[in-house]
Amino acid sequence: MARTVALVPDLLFGSKLIGALQAGGHDVVLVAQTEDLAGALAGSDVLIVDLTAEPDARIEAARPFLGPDAPRSLAFFAHVERDVRADAEAAGFDLVVPRSRMARAASELVAELAARSR
């Protein structure tokens, strides 16, 4: 089980994501605003960031929480925006996947990330 913080402003997709993660045994906190990340991340194992809208702003908001002393990080993007994937990988996200994969395998992706050691 991983304690997960998800920055997902889309409440419909966010509730679907929460359901999938909880069904997989993960503890999930959903935040809708980038300003709420710092407080929510304390003690978390995985950070998830939705890059399907405002990707540049969300990458910049997440940047302080990426790196060797931070929780593992997972970003998802609209599959047609390959440049967003490249930008997220360059920023230091541990894993970047299309939104469709996130919808299908969220719990497995989080478990995989949480199991990786730094």
Side-chain angles (χ1 to χ4, degrees), residues 51-99:
L51 301 178
T52 59
E54 300 178 11
D56 294 334
R58 292 188 190 153
I59 288 171
E60 286 309 309
R63 195 178 300 272
F65 310 107
L66 304 176
D69 297 327
R72 289 292 184 181
S73 55
L74 167 61
F76 62 94
F77 65 101
H79 74 278
V80 296
E81 297 190 13
R82 301 228 181 256
D83 56 324
V84 171
R85 177 184 207 140
D87 292 346
E89 289 171 342
F93 280 91
D94 294 307
L95 184 60
V96 184
V97 299
R99 181 179 166 131

Side-chain angles (χ1 to χ4, degrees), residues 12-37:
L12 184 59
F13 190 79
S15 62
K16 179 179 179 177
L17 184 62
I18 286 173
L21 292 171
Q22 288 176 337
H26 303 292
D27 179 25
V28 188
V29 173
L30 184 68
V31 295
Q33 303 290 327
T34 56
E35 297 82 19
D36 299 331
L37 273 179

